[in-house]
Amino acid sequence: MLSDSNSDSNEEKFKPSHSILKRILKVLCKDYVGKTRLSQVANVHYTVLVEHLRWMESKRYVKFALNEDKIVVVLTESGREFADRFLTLVD
């Protein structure tokens, strides 16, 4: 989990970028992936990616899972529904 003790106040202030969300969601819709690889494939700076993942996790759109000794980012069912709606609107 990426949350910390100040996450509630940070989440209220954070406004995700639609263009960055679009790039992240397009990658995650295809498969689960590690954060570093997601940053590379989505072409998003790692620290910006982490901010967006924290927001997505707070909305329960993503979860973190262990796969072959690596932590990967996975879309939840509600995350897939959000991605379908969101990508339809912004594409």
Side-chain angles (χ1 to χ4, degrees):
M1 193 182 221
L2 293 175
S3 302
D4 60 18
S5 60
N6 295 327
S7 64
D8 291 337
S9 61
N10 292 341
E11 289 163 10
E12 292 172 12
K13 295 175 188 174
F14 179 75
K15 302 287 187 226
S17 161
H18 287 179
S19 64
I20 292 173
L21 272 179
K22 177 182 173 180
R23 296 195 311 254
I24 293 169
L25 289 170
K26 282 188 171 190
V27 174
L28 291 177
C29 280
K30 294 177 185 173
D31 204 0
Y32 57 83
V33 64
K35 290 183 289 187
T36 302
R37 185 71 182 140
L38 178 57
S39 174
Q40 294 167 342
V41 174
N43 194 27
V44 177
H45 191 278
Y46 188 83
T47 56
V48 174
L49 172 74
V50 169
E51 289 177 323
H52 282 73
L53 291 177
R54 282 184 179 146
W55 179 84
M56 293 172 75
E57 183 184 31
S58 75
K59 303 294 183 192
R60 293 180 166 59
Y61 295 151
V62 296
K63 64 181 179 179
F64 300 93
L66 193 60
N67 182 46
E68 297 180 11
D69 297 327
K70 290 179 70 175
I71 297 175
V72 294
V73 184
V74 181
L75 278 179
T76 63
E77 187 171 330
S78 63
R80 288 202 177 277
E81 292 170 7
F82 170 74
D84 289 343
R85 289 190 313 267
F86 182 81
L87 293 174
T88 299
L89 292 173
V90 295
D91 271 346

